[in-house]
Amino acid sequence: MAVQRLEDVRRDLVKANRILSHEGILDAFGHVSARHPERTDRFLLSWARAPELIEEADLMEFALDGTALDDPRPAYLERFIHGAIYAERPDVMAVCHNHTLSILPFSISKSVRLRPVIHTAAVLGGEVPVWNIADEFGDHTNLLVVNMEQGRSLARTLGSGRIALMRGHGSVVVGADLPQVVSACVNMDKNARVQLQALQLGEFIPLSAGEIDRPQVPPGAAPMPDRAWEYWSRRAG
Ligand SMILES: [Zn+2]
């Protein structure tokens, strides 16, 4: 994939914040970031502002250890989520941390895992792993990721996947660009709602391994995230 220009990534990051707010994935909290396209040891993330209000001037640059580069503005407490994942996963160019309500039941259930049940949610890749902060950091945390050690622990649970849930807290969604991450967030939310409803009916049929692995778009067709990205951008104004 061609390297994107910094100005395009910055513009897309503002759009991604607006879209994810408009689609109900982010509210006053949660955040989305992009890796710096020219300096892969840095990432772009707003200062600690509600996503819907973010403009280009709000974007800050961070080193992968979560240190802000020459910018005194207050940073999100949980920026370590982004830095740790970019450090562990060279393929990841964008990260969203959200507290989407629909997925939270799956983050605390002892018996049911979030898994793809609708055709647009193959990106979930099978049973979505749940990171339980108490496993490594005990039962006296506030469940937030507030340092690199916790960020790296979360990144290990994510592994090579696209999504991990965080027990009693939210999720992290990654991708090769911002449209991929936005698309995965929206489809994760839809899938979670459908799966929850299906559970009330009883047994349900998840996507098979073959349906998960199958390319979503036939060769030669326009990639789905592009079409959806235009639609979401328009909806978000
Ligand atoms: Zn959080």
Side-chain angles (χ1 to χ4, degrees):
M1 197 168 61
V3 175
Q4 282 193 290
R5 293 184 308 171
L6 177 59
E7 61 190 271
D8 294 336
V9 172
R10 289 174 60 89
R11 190 201 56 222
D12 280 356
L13 185 50
V14 171
K15 267 192 187 181
N17 272 284
R18 298 264 175 88
I19 294 171
L20 289 168
S21 303
H22 196 264
E23 300 297 328
I25 305 298
L26 302 176
D27 47 24
F29 302 99
H31 18 88
V32 56
S33 71
R35 193 194 291 270
H36 195 300
E38 292 150 13
R39 292 285 311 263
T40 55
D41 59 346
R42 293 182 182 182
F43 65 96
L44 308 166
L45 179 68
S46 170
W47 66 278
R49 199 171 189 208
E52 192 169 351
L53 310 176
I54 288 167
E55 296 174 17
E56 276 200 50
D58 296 315
L59 302 180
M60 294 173 65
E61 286 189 20
F62 293 87
L64 297 192
D65 66 0
T67 309
L69 295 160
D70 295 331
D71 198 320
R73 292 179 288 182
Y76 293 120
L77 205 59
E78 294 192 282
R79 61 192 180 279
F80 304 101
I81 293 173
H82 303 261
I85 290 173
Y86 289 124
E88 291 290 319
R89 291 275 300 272
D91 60 309
V92 167
M93 297 301 283
V95 174
C96 175
H97 167 56
N98 61 72
H99 311 117
T100 310
L101 209 56
S102 60
I103 54 152
L104 291 183
F106 298 99
S107 81
I108 56 172
S109 173
K110 287 189 169 183
S111 56
V112 182
R113 284 276 194 261
L114 181 65
R115 56 191 303 177
V117 296
I118 56 174
H119 76 289
T120 51
V123 63
L124 270 61
E127 287 196 343
V128 176
V130 178
W131 179 68
N132 183 358
I133 192 169
D135 288 345
E136 270 187 72
F137 303 97
D139 57 5
H140 280 66
T141 71
N142 55 8
L143 280 82
L144 304 181
V145 175
V146 293
N147 58 49
M148 279 303 282
E149 209 187 339
Q150 293 171 339
R152 280 192 285 264
S153 171
L154 170 60
R156 283 193 293 276
T157 296
L158 175 67
S160 59
R162 293 282 306 277
I163 300 173
L165 303 189
M166 303 157 74
R167 195 261 302 168
H169 177 177
S171 80
V172 63
V173 179
V174 307
D177 58 29
L178 285 159
Q180 272 196 19
V181 166
V182 168
S183 172
C185 286
V186 171
N187 287 312
M188 170 185 76
D189 177 42
K190 285 184 181 164
N191 189 95
R193 293 189 215 196
V194 172
Q195 189 179 341
L196 265 182
Q197 287 179 329
L199 282 164
Q200 291 165 15
L201 301 176
E203 287 189 79
F204 65 90
I205 307 170
L207 263 58
S208 70
E211 288 163 345
I212 291 168
D213 289 340
R214 196 167 179 277
Q216 288 301 289
V217 182
M224 283 301 284
D226 287 2
R227 194 199 307 178
W229 180 253
E230 189 187 4
Y231 165 70
W232 289 321
S233 299
R234 187 71 60 87
R235 266 163 62 91

PDB file of all heavy atoms in Angstrom, residues 22-50:
ATOM      1  N   HIS A  22     -20.668  10.260  15.461  1.00  0.00           N
ATOM      2  CA  HIS A  22     -21.983  10.289  14.848  1.00  0.00           C
ATOM      3  C   HIS A  22     -22.637   8.913  14.838  1.00  0.00           C
ATOM      4  O   HIS A  22     -23.853   8.783  14.971  1.00  0.00           O
ATOM      5  CB  HIS A  22     -21.877  10.835  13.422  1.00  0.00           C
ATOM      6  CG  HIS A  22     -23.186  11.253  12.848  1.00  0.00           C
ATOM      7  ND1 HIS A  22     -23.932  10.422  12.045  1.00  0.00           N
ATOM      8  CD2 HIS A  22     -23.900  12.378  12.987  1.00  0.00           C
ATOM      9  CE1 HIS A  22     -25.044  11.040  11.708  1.00  0.00           C
ATOM     10  NE2 HIS A  22     -25.052  12.226  12.263  1.00  0.00           N
ATOM     11  N   GLU A  23     -21.823   7.863  14.658  1.00  0.00           N
ATOM     12  CA  GLU A  23     -22.363   6.500  14.604  1.00  0.00           C
ATOM     13  C   GLU A  23     -22.522   5.894  16.002  1.00  0.00           C
ATOM     14  O   GLU A  23     -22.848   4.717  16.146  1.00  0.00           O
ATOM     15  CB  GLU A  23     -21.459   5.610  13.739  1.00  0.00           C
ATOM     16  CG  GLU A  23     -21.309   6.073  12.289  1.00  0.00           C
ATOM     17  CD  GLU A  23     -22.619   6.059  11.495  1.00  0.00           C
ATOM     18  OE1 GLU A  23     -23.472   5.197  11.769  1.00  0.00           O
ATOM     19  OE2 GLU A  23     -22.779   6.935  10.612  1.00  0.00           O
ATOM     20  N   GLY A  24     -22.240   6.688  17.039  1.00  0.00           N
ATOM     21  CA  GLY A  24     -22.477   6.238  18.411  1.00  0.00           C
ATOM     22  C   GLY A  24     -21.407   5.314  18.976  1.00  0.00           C
ATOM     23  O   GLY A  24     -21.619   4.665  19.998  1.00  0.00           O
ATOM     24  N   ILE A  25     -20.247   5.247  18.322  1.00  0.00           N
ATOM     25  CA  ILE A  25     -19.163   4.397  18.822  1.00  0.00           C
ATOM     26  C   ILE A  25     -18.382   5.140  19.910  1.00  0.00           C
ATOM     27  O   ILE A  25     -17.972   4.569  20.918  1.00  0.00           O
ATOM     28  CB  ILE A  25     -18.196   3.996  17.678  1.00  0.00           C
ATOM     29  CG1 ILE A  25     -18.959   3.326  16.531  1.00  0.00           C
ATOM     30  CG2 ILE A  25     -17.069   3.114  18.200  1.00  0.00           C
ATOM     31  CD1 ILE A  25     -19.662   2.036  16.893  1.00  0.00           C
ATOM     32  N   LEU A  26     -18.156   6.430  19.695  1.00  0.00           N
ATOM     33  CA  LEU A  26     -17.484   7.270  20.688  1.00  0.00           C
ATOM     34  C   LEU A  26     -18.500   8.268  21.220  1.00  0.00           C
ATOM     35  O   LEU A  26     -19.372   8.724  20.475  1.00  0.00           O
ATOM     36  CB  LEU A  26     -16.314   8.033  20.053  1.00  0.00           C
ATOM     37  CG  LEU A  26     -15.212   7.207  19.391  1.00  0.00           C
ATOM     38  CD1 LEU A  26     -14.189   8.130  18.725  1.00  0.00           C
ATOM     39  CD2 LEU A  26     -14.519   6.311  20.407  1.00  0.00           C
ATOM     40  N   ASP A  27     -18.409   8.620  22.506  1.00  0.00           N
ATOM     41  CA  ASP A  27     -19.257   9.709  23.014  1.00  0.00           C
ATOM     42  C   ASP A  27     -18.325  10.776  23.570  1.00  0.00           C
ATOM     43  O   ASP A  27     -17.473  11.269  22.867  1.00  0.00           O
ATOM     44  CB  ASP A  27     -20.294   9.192  24.014  1.00  0.00           C
ATOM     45  CG  ASP A  27     -19.692   8.263  25.068  1.00  0.00           C
ATOM     46  OD1 ASP A  27     -18.475   8.371  25.325  1.00  0.00           O
ATOM     47  OD2 ASP A  27     -20.424   7.454  25.637  1.00  0.00           O
ATOM     48  N   ALA A  28     -18.491  11.144  24.818  1.00  0.00           N
ATOM     49  CA  ALA A  28     -17.566  12.130  25.382  1.00  0.00           C
ATOM     50  C   ALA A  28     -16.192  11.489  25.570  1.00  0.00           C
ATOM     51  O   ALA A  28     -15.174  12.168  25.667  1.00  0.00           O
ATOM     52  CB  ALA A  28     -18.100  12.651  26.707  1.00  0.00           C
ATOM     53  N   PHE A  29     -16.178  10.146  25.629  1.00  0.00           N
ATOM     54  CA  PHE A  29     -14.927   9.432  25.902  1.00  0.00           C
ATOM     55  C   PHE A  29     -14.571   8.507  24.741  1.00  0.00           C
ATOM     56  O   PHE A  29     -15.316   8.360  23.798  1.00  0.00           O
ATOM     57  CB  PHE A  29     -15.061   8.647  27.207  1.00  0.00           C
ATOM     58  CG  PHE A  29     -15.405   9.527  28.370  1.00  0.00           C
ATOM     59  CD1 PHE A  29     -16.717   9.639  28.811  1.00  0.00           C
ATOM     60  CD2 PHE A  29     -14.432  10.296  28.974  1.00  0.00           C
ATOM     61  CE1 PHE A  29     -17.044  10.473  29.862  1.00  0.00           C
ATOM     62  CE2 PHE A  29     -14.747  11.145  30.025  1.00  0.00           C
ATOM     63  CZ  PHE A  29     -16.069  11.233  30.481  1.00  0.00           C
ATOM     64  N   GLY A  30     -13.437   7.854  24.862  1.00  0.00           N
ATOM     65  CA  GLY A  30     -12.937   7.013  23.784  1.00  0.00           C
ATOM     66  C   GLY A  30     -12.123   7.866  22.830  1.00  0.00           C
ATOM     67  O   GLY A  30     -12.233   9.100  22.840  1.00  0.00           O
ATOM     68  N   HIS A  31     -11.267   7.224  22.016  1.00  0.00           N
ATOM     69  CA  HIS A  31     -10.429   7.982  21.090  1.00  0.00           C
ATOM     70  C   HIS A  31      -9.969   7.135  19.927  1.00  0.00           C
ATOM     71  O   HIS A  31      -9.947   5.916  20.000  1.00  0.00           O
ATOM     72  CB  HIS A  31      -9.213   8.587  21.801  1.00  0.00           C
ATOM     73  CG  HIS A  31      -8.855   7.985  23.126  1.00  0.00           C
ATOM     74  ND1 HIS A  31      -8.014   6.899  23.262  1.00  0.00           N
ATOM     75  CD2 HIS A  31      -9.247   8.316  24.389  1.00  0.00           C
ATOM     76  CE1 HIS A  31      -7.874   6.605  24.540  1.00  0.00           C
ATOM     77  NE2 HIS A  31      -8.621   7.434  25.262  1.00  0.00           N
ATOM     78  N   VAL A  32      -9.598   7.837  18.843  1.00  0.00           N
ATOM     79  CA  VAL A  32      -9.065   7.157  17.663  1.00  0.00           C
ATOM     80  C   VAL A  32      -7.770   7.857  17.264  1.00  0.00           C
ATOM     81  O   VAL A  32      -7.655   9.071  17.377  1.00  0.00           O
ATOM     82  CB  VAL A  32     -10.109   7.125  16.512  1.00  0.00           C
ATOM     83  CG1 VAL A  32     -10.596   8.499  16.141  1.00  0.00           C
ATOM     84  CG2 VAL A  32      -9.570   6.384  15.296  1.00  0.00           C
ATOM     85  N   SER A  33      -6.777   7.063  16.843  1.00  0.00           N
ATOM     86  CA  SER A  33      -5.463   7.607  16.493  1.00  0.00           C
ATOM     87  C   SER A  33      -5.016   7.048  15.151  1.00  0.00           C
ATOM     88  O   SER A  33      -5.591   6.083  14.637  1.00  0.00           O
ATOM     89  CB  SER A  33      -4.438   7.212  17.559  1.00  0.00           C
ATOM     90  OG  SER A  33      -4.151   5.818  17.472  1.00  0.00           O
ATOM     91  N   ALA A  34      -3.952   7.666  14.598  1.00  0.00           N
ATOM     92  CA  ALA A  34      -3.323   7.141  13.376  1.00  0.00           C
ATOM     93  C   ALA A  34      -1.809   7.171  13.569  1.00  0.00           C
ATOM     94  O   ALA A  34      -1.285   8.093  14.209  1.00  0.00           O
ATOM     95  CB  ALA A  34      -3.709   7.975  12.170  1.00  0.00           C
ATOM     96  N   ARG A  35      -1.123   6.174  13.005  1.00  0.00           N
ATOM     97  CA  ARG A  35       0.332   6.211  13.039  1.00  0.00           C
ATOM     98  C   ARG A  35       0.800   7.312  12.090  1.00  0.00           C
ATOM     99  O   ARG A  35       0.193   7.540  11.035  1.00  0.00           O
ATOM    100  CB  ARG A  35       0.904   4.859  12.589  1.00  0.00           C
ATOM    101  CG  ARG A  35       2.394   4.708  12.890  1.00  0.00           C
ATOM    102  CD  ARG A  35       3.001   3.535  12.160  1.00  0.00           C
ATOM    103  NE  ARG A  35       2.567   2.228  12.633  1.00  0.00           N
ATOM    104  CZ  ARG A  35       3.165   1.517  13.598  1.00  0.00           C
ATOM    105  NH1 ARG A  35       4.219   2.009  14.202  1.00  0.00           N
ATOM    106  NH2 ARG A  35       2.706   0.319  13.929  1.00  0.00           N
ATOM    107  N   HIS A  36       1.855   8.009  12.455  1.00  0.00           N
ATOM    108  CA  HIS A  36       2.436   9.034  11.593  1.00  0.00           C
ATOM    109  C   HIS A  36       2.955   8.350  10.323  1.00  0.00           C
ATOM    110  O   HIS A  36       3.746   7.418  10.413  1.00  0.00           O
ATOM    111  CB  HIS A  36       3.585   9.723  12.341  1.00  0.00           C
ATOM    112  CG  HIS A  36       4.038  11.005  11.715  1.00  0.00           C
ATOM    113  ND1 HIS A  36       4.536  11.072  10.427  1.00  0.00           N
ATOM    114  CD2 HIS A  36       4.061  12.275  12.191  1.00  0.00           C
ATOM    115  CE1 HIS A  36       4.852  12.332  10.158  1.00  0.00           C
ATOM    116  NE2 HIS A  36       4.571  13.077  11.206  1.00  0.00           N
ATOM    117  N   PRO A  37       2.523   8.794   9.125  1.00  0.00           N
ATOM    118  CA  PRO A  37       2.884   8.060   7.906  1.00  0.00           C
ATOM    119  C   PRO A  37       4.369   8.174   7.535  1.00  0.00           C
ATOM    120  O   PRO A  37       4.888   7.307   6.826  1.00  0.00           O
ATOM    121  CB  PRO A  37       2.007   8.699   6.830  1.00  0.00           C
ATOM    122  CG  PRO A  37       1.674  10.050   7.358  1.00  0.00           C
ATOM    123  CD  PRO A  37       1.655   9.930   8.853  1.00  0.00           C
ATOM    124  N   GLU A  38       5.022   9.233   8.005  1.00  0.00           N
ATOM    125  CA  GLU A  38       6.441   9.419   7.648  1.00  0.00           C
ATOM    126  C   GLU A  38       7.358   9.020   8.797  1.00  0.00           C
ATOM    127  O   GLU A  38       8.495   8.610   8.584  1.00  0.00           O
ATOM    128  CB  GLU A  38       6.689  10.887   7.276  1.00  0.00           C
ATOM    129  CG  GLU A  38       5.989  11.283   5.981  1.00  0.00           C
ATOM    130  CD  GLU A  38       5.590  12.744   5.967  1.00  0.00           C
ATOM    131  OE1 GLU A  38       6.052  13.529   6.820  1.00  0.00           O
ATOM    132  OE2 GLU A  38       4.774  13.112   5.082  1.00  0.00           O
ATOM    133  N   ARG A  39       6.910   9.181  10.010  1.00  0.00           N
ATOM    134  CA  ARG A  39       7.683   8.803  11.197  1.00  0.00           C
ATOM    135  C   ARG A  39       6.917   7.686  11.891  1.00  0.00           C
ATOM    136  O   ARG A  39       6.050   7.940  12.715  1.00  0.00           O
ATOM    137  CB  ARG A  39       7.833  10.004  12.141  1.00  0.00           C
ATOM    138  CG  ARG A  39       8.709  11.133  11.601  1.00  0.00           C
ATOM    139  CD  ARG A  39      10.185  10.755  11.659  1.00  0.00           C
ATOM    140  NE  ARG A  39      10.578  10.237  12.965  1.00  0.00           N
ATOM    141  CZ  ARG A  39      11.159  10.971  13.917  1.00  0.00           C
ATOM    142  NH1 ARG A  39      11.425  12.221  13.718  1.00  0.00           N
ATOM    143  NH2 ARG A  39      11.497  10.401  15.077  1.00  0.00           N
ATOM    144  N   THR A  40       7.265   6.434  11.567  1.00  0.00           N
ATOM    145  CA  THR A  40       6.460   5.313  12.060  1.00  0.00           C
ATOM    146  C   THR A  40       6.637   5.080  13.562  1.00  0.00           C
ATOM    147  O   THR A  40       5.940   4.262  14.144  1.00  0.00           O
ATOM    148  CB  THR A  40       6.798   4.020  11.295  1.00  0.00           C
ATOM    149  OG1 THR A  40       8.202   3.799  11.383  1.00  0.00           O
ATOM    150  CG2 THR A  40       6.378   4.119   9.840  1.00  0.00           C
ATOM    151  N   ASP A  41       7.595   5.820  14.170  1.00  0.00           N
ATOM    152  CA  ASP A  41       7.760   5.723  15.620  1.00  0.00           C
ATOM    153  C   ASP A  41       6.945   6.790  16.354  1.00  0.00           C
ATOM    154  O   ASP A  41       7.207   7.087  17.520  1.00  0.00           O
ATOM    155  CB  ASP A  41       9.248   5.824  15.998  1.00  0.00           C
ATOM    156  CG  ASP A  41       9.878   7.134  15.516  1.00  0.00           C
ATOM    157  OD1 ASP A  41       9.256   7.832  14.664  1.00  0.00           O
ATOM    158  OD2 ASP A  41      10.979   7.469  15.989  1.00  0.00           O
ATOM    159  N   ARG A  42       5.976   7.356  15.643  1.00  0.00           N
ATOM    160  CA  ARG A  42       5.103   8.357  16.266  1.00  0.00           C
ATOM    161  C   ARG A  42       3.658   8.064  15.899  1.00  0.00           C
ATOM    162  O   ARG A  42       3.390   7.417  14.886  1.00  0.00           O
ATOM    163  CB  ARG A  42       5.428   9.770  15.744  1.00  0.00           C
ATOM    164  CG  ARG A  42       6.778  10.269  16.144  1.00  0.00           C
ATOM    165  CD  ARG A  42       6.960  11.676  15.621  1.00  0.00           C
ATOM    166  NE  ARG A  42       8.294  12.169  15.966  1.00  0.00           N
ATOM    167  CZ  ARG A  42       8.726  13.377  15.665  1.00  0.00           C
ATOM    168  NH1 ARG A  42       7.940  14.218  15.003  1.00  0.00           N
ATOM    169  NH2 ARG A  42       9.935  13.767  16.019  1.00  0.00           N
ATOM    170  N   PHE A  43       2.734   8.600  16.713  1.00  0.00           N
ATOM    171  CA  PHE A  43       1.336   8.534  16.316  1.00  0.00           C
ATOM    172  C   PHE A  43       0.625   9.849  16.596  1.00  0.00           C
ATOM    173  O   PHE A  43       1.102  10.672  17.391  1.00  0.00           O
ATOM    174  CB  PHE A  43       0.612   7.343  16.965  1.00  0.00           C
ATOM    175  CG  PHE A  43       0.487   7.381  18.468  1.00  0.00           C
ATOM    176  CD1 PHE A  43      -0.666   7.859  19.070  1.00  0.00           C
ATOM    177  CD2 PHE A  43       1.496   6.897  19.280  1.00  0.00           C
ATOM    178  CE1 PHE A  43      -0.808   7.869  20.458  1.00  0.00           C
ATOM    179  CE2 PHE A  43       1.371   6.902  20.674  1.00  0.00           C
ATOM    180  CZ  PHE A  43       0.227   7.392  21.264  1.00  0.00           C
ATOM    181  N   LEU A  44      -0.484  10.036  15.892  1.00  0.00           N
ATOM    182  CA  LEU A  44      -1.271  11.265  15.991  1.00  0.00           C
ATOM    183  C   LEU A  44      -2.541  10.979  16.770  1.00  0.00           C
ATOM    184  O   LEU A  44      -3.233   9.984  16.502  1.00  0.00           O
ATOM    185  CB  LEU A  44      -1.665  11.754  14.589  1.00  0.00           C
ATOM    186  CG  LEU A  44      -0.526  11.894  13.576  1.00  0.00           C
ATOM    187  CD1 LEU A  44      -1.096  12.035  12.168  1.00  0.00           C
ATOM    188  CD2 LEU A  44       0.317  13.105  13.924  1.00  0.00           C
ATOM    189  N   LEU A  45      -2.828  11.846  17.726  1.00  0.00           N
ATOM    190  CA  LEU A  45      -4.004  11.677  18.584  1.00  0.00           C
ATOM    191  C   LEU A  45      -4.353  13.062  19.103  1.00  0.00           C
ATOM    192  O   LEU A  45      -3.464  13.873  19.358  1.00  0.00           O
ATOM    193  CB  LEU A  45      -3.647  10.734  19.749  1.00  0.00           C
ATOM    194  CG  LEU A  45      -4.707  10.408  20.798  1.00  0.00           C
ATOM    195  CD1 LEU A  45      -5.832   9.558  20.209  1.00  0.00           C
ATOM    196  CD2 LEU A  45      -4.069   9.642  21.973  1.00  0.00           C
ATOM    197  N   SER A  46      -5.634  13.334  19.257  1.00  0.00           N
ATOM    198  CA  SER A  46      -6.048  14.644  19.767  1.00  0.00           C
ATOM    199  C   SER A  46      -5.593  14.818  21.222  1.00  0.00           C
ATOM    200  O   SER A  46      -5.295  13.851  21.904  1.00  0.00           O
ATOM    201  CB  SER A  46      -7.570  14.766  19.698  1.00  0.00           C
ATOM    202  OG  SER A  46      -8.014  15.923  20.393  1.00  0.00           O
ATOM    203  N   TRP A  47      -5.565  16.058  21.660  1.00  0.00           N
ATOM    204  CA  TRP A  47      -5.471  16.274  23.097  1.00  0.00           C
ATOM    205  C   TRP A  47      -6.798  15.823  23.705  1.00  0.00           C
ATOM    206  O   TRP A  47      -7.717  15.455  22.969  1.00  0.00           O
ATOM    207  CB  TRP A  47      -5.110  17.731  23.429  1.00  0.00           C
ATOM    208  CG  TRP A  47      -6.122  18.784  23.090  1.00  0.00           C
ATOM    209  CD1 TRP A  47      -6.313  19.372  21.864  1.00  0.00           C
ATOM    210  CD2 TRP A  47      -7.095  19.380  23.969  1.00  0.00           C
ATOM    211  NE1 TRP A  47      -7.330  20.281  21.919  1.00  0.00           N
ATOM    212  CE2 TRP A  47      -7.832  20.319  23.213  1.00  0.00           C
ATOM    213  CE3 TRP A  47      -7.400  19.221  25.314  1.00  0.00           C
ATOM    214  CZ2 TRP A  47      -8.862  21.086  23.758  1.00  0.00           C
ATOM    215  CZ3 TRP A  47      -8.429  19.987  25.859  1.00  0.00           C
ATOM    216  CH2 TRP A  47      -9.142  20.899  25.082  1.00  0.00           C
ATOM    217  N   ALA A  48      -6.911  15.831  25.040  1.00  0.00           N
ATOM    218  CA  ALA A  48      -8.041  15.198  25.722  1.00  0.00           C
ATOM    219  C   ALA A  48      -9.346  15.963  25.510  1.00  0.00           C
ATOM    220  O   ALA A  48      -9.838  16.651  26.405  1.00  0.00           O
ATOM    221  CB  ALA A  48      -7.737  15.046  27.205  1.00  0.00           C
ATOM    222  N   ARG A  49      -9.908  15.835  24.322  1.00  0.00           N
ATOM    223  CA  ARG A  49     -11.129  16.547  23.955  1.00  0.00           C
ATOM    224  C   ARG A  49     -12.158  15.517  23.491  1.00  0.00           C
ATOM    225  O   ARG A  49     -11.784  14.448  23.001  1.00  0.00           O
ATOM    226  CB  ARG A  49     -10.795  17.490  22.796  1.00  0.00           C
ATOM    227  CG  ARG A  49     -11.772  18.583  22.599  1.00  0.00           C
ATOM    228  CD  ARG A  49     -11.316  19.625  21.595  1.00  0.00           C
ATOM    229  NE  ARG A  49     -12.266  20.736  21.683  1.00  0.00           N
ATOM    230  CZ  ARG A  49     -12.550  21.549  20.694  1.00  0.00           C
ATOM    231  NH1 ARG A  49     -11.939  21.418  19.549  1.00  0.00           N
ATOM    232  NH2 ARG A  49     -13.437  22.513  20.854  1.00  0.00           N
ATOM    233  N   ALA A  50     -13.457  15.847  23.613  1.00  0.00           N
ATOM    234  CA  ALA A  50     -14.494  14.924  23.136  1.00  0.00           C
ATOM    235  C   ALA A  50     -14.370  14.769  21.615  1.00  0.00           C
ATOM    236  O   ALA A  50     -14.239  15.759  20.893  1.00  0.00           O
ATOM    237  CB  ALA A  50     -15.875  15.446  23.503  1.00  0.00           C
TER     238      ALA A  50
END
